[in-house]
């Protein structure tokens, strides 16, 4: 069978660095996959797909600034600043899964548990640090020539110069494992869920894990 699908991919950057927290982010994917039978005696299949994923988050805890939480809360309350860290990334992914299919008795539903790998190539990734200053505070900054201190910053997460070191620079190619369950409903509808985590690091001591919710059309 062939499938076109969309996915919701709530994900996490898992960081194995002292005093650094994991960061949750959101992913949305679209793609196509094809399943091939590999046995004449048992319903065992290999399913290979190709998809495009958009990942993004906005972090508003102000952790990238040197401002303590109390001062930041007061500054936000007064409308002076509202710092945010933003991120977006586009990736191509190739999920490959070994799938077993079994039909539920007296129904039009089939269940398909699967296990496999996921290959991902990150095409582009951008980050931005914003101060979002209120009008009055912005005038004070400009008058006192403090623009460089409170300057918004745009950076390419795959550029060593922008990221400051090789360890902080993100990698383009990743590979990970996945496990999940799909349900074929009737002739055309597919619903499913899966979980996976990268084998390879996207940056030094950082890996991505994701829980995926899938809706597909089978033909």
């Amino acid at each position: 069978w062939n499938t076109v699908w969309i996915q919701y991919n709530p994900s996490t950057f898992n960081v194995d660095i002292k005093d650094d927290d994991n960061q949750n982010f959101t992913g949305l994917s679209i793609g196509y996959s094809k399943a091939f039978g590999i046995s004449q005696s048992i319903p065992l299949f290999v399913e290979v797909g190709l998809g495009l994923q958009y990942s993004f988050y906005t972090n508003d805890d102000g952790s990238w600034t040197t401002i303590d939480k109390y001062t930041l809360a007061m500054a936000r309350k007064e409308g002076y600043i509202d710092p945010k860290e933003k991120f977006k990334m586009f990736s191509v992914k190739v999920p490959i899964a070994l799938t077993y299919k079994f039909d539920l008795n007296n129904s039009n539903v089939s269940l398909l548990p699967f296990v496999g790998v996921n290959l991902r190539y990150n095409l582009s990734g951008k980050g931005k640090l914003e101060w979002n200053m209120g009008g009055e505070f912005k005038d004070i900054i400009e008058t006192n020539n403090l623009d460089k201190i409170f300057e918004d910053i745009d950076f390419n997460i795959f550029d060593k110069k922008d990221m400051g070191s090789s360890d902080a620079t993100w990698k383009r190619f990743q590979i990970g494992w996945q496990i999940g369950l799909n349900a074929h409903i009737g002739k055309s509808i597919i619903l499913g869920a899966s979980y996976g985590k990268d084998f390879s690091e996207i940056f030094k001591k950082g890996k991505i894990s994701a829980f995926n919710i899938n809706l597909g059309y089978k033909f």
Side-chain angles (χ1 to χ4, degrees):
W1 65 87
N2 301 277
T3 308
V4 290
W5 43 263
I6 59 174
Q7 283 183 342
Y8 172 55
N9 316 111
S11 308
T12 302
F13 294 119
N14 299 279
V15 183
D16 188 21
I17 302 174
K18 185 179 180 180
D19 297 328
D20 275 15
D21 296 327
N22 294 341
Q23 174 64 57
N24 296 325
F25 65 96
T26 301
L28 300 172
S29 304
I30 58 172
Y32 164 83
S33 61
K34 185 175 181 63
F36 304 88
I38 59 175
S39 174
Q40 295 183 348
S41 58
I42 56 175
L44 194 62
F45 305 85
V46 170
E47 190 168 9
V48 181
L50 178 64
L52 180 64
Q53 180 169 324
Y54 173 57
S55 305
F56 60 95
Y57 74 75
T58 297
N59 180 1
D60 60 0
D61 66 6
S63 58
W64 58 272
T65 74
T66 57
I67 303 173
D68 65 85
K69 291 184 178 180
Y70 176 78
T71 303
L72 178 58
M74 294 300 296
R76 280 188 166 132
K77 183 178 180 181
E78 297 299 327
Y80 296 148
I81 55 174
D82 186 21
K84 296 184 186 298
E85 178 186 14
K86 296 184 177 180
F87 151 87
K88 60 182 179 181
M89 181 170 69
F90 287 96
S91 308
V92 172
K93 60 184 183 181
V94 179
I96 304 171
L98 182 65
T99 298
Y100 183 85
K101 180 181 179 183
F102 59 92
D103 300 323
L104 298 182
N105 294 332
N106 303 315
S107 76
N108 63 348
V109 176
S110 299
L111 296 181
L112 295 89
F114 64 88
V115 63
V117 297
N118 189 47
L119 311 177
R120 182 168 59 250
Y121 185 80
N122 301 313
L123 297 171
S124 66
K126 301 290 183 180
K128 187 169 186 175
L129 306 178
E130 298 178 341
W131 287 101
N132 298 308
M133 292 180 287
E136 182 179 342
F137 185 70
K138 188 174 182 179
D139 292 339
I140 295 173
I141 294 302
E142 293 175 350
T143 302
N144 291 275
N145 298 316
L146 299 174
D147 303 65
K148 291 296 182 181
I149 297 177
F150 292 93
E151 181 180 30
D152 291 348
I153 301 173
D154 294 284
F155 54 94
N156 182 346
I157 59 179
F158 300 109
D159 189 309
K160 181 180 177 180
K161 182 179 178 181
D162 284 359
M163 299 304 290
S165 69
S166 298
D167 288 350
T169 304
W170 293 31
K171 297 177 176 61
R172 296 281 186 177
F173 179 75
Q174 295 169 266
I175 181 171
W177 57 267
Q178 60 169 331
I179 187 169
L181 176 68
N182 285 324
H184 289 192
I185 304 171
K187 294 181 178 180
S188 302
I189 302 301
I190 297 178
L191 295 176
S194 64
Y195 176 80
K197 187 174 183 179
D198 288 343
F199 293 121
S200 57
E201 296 178 336
I202 191 167
F203 49 79
K204 185 67 173 180
K205 296 189 177 181
K207 296 182 179 181
I208 292 178
S209 61
F211 179 76
N212 308 300
I213 300 172
N214 182 68
L215 172 63
Y217 178 80
K218 183 181 67 171
F219 59 96

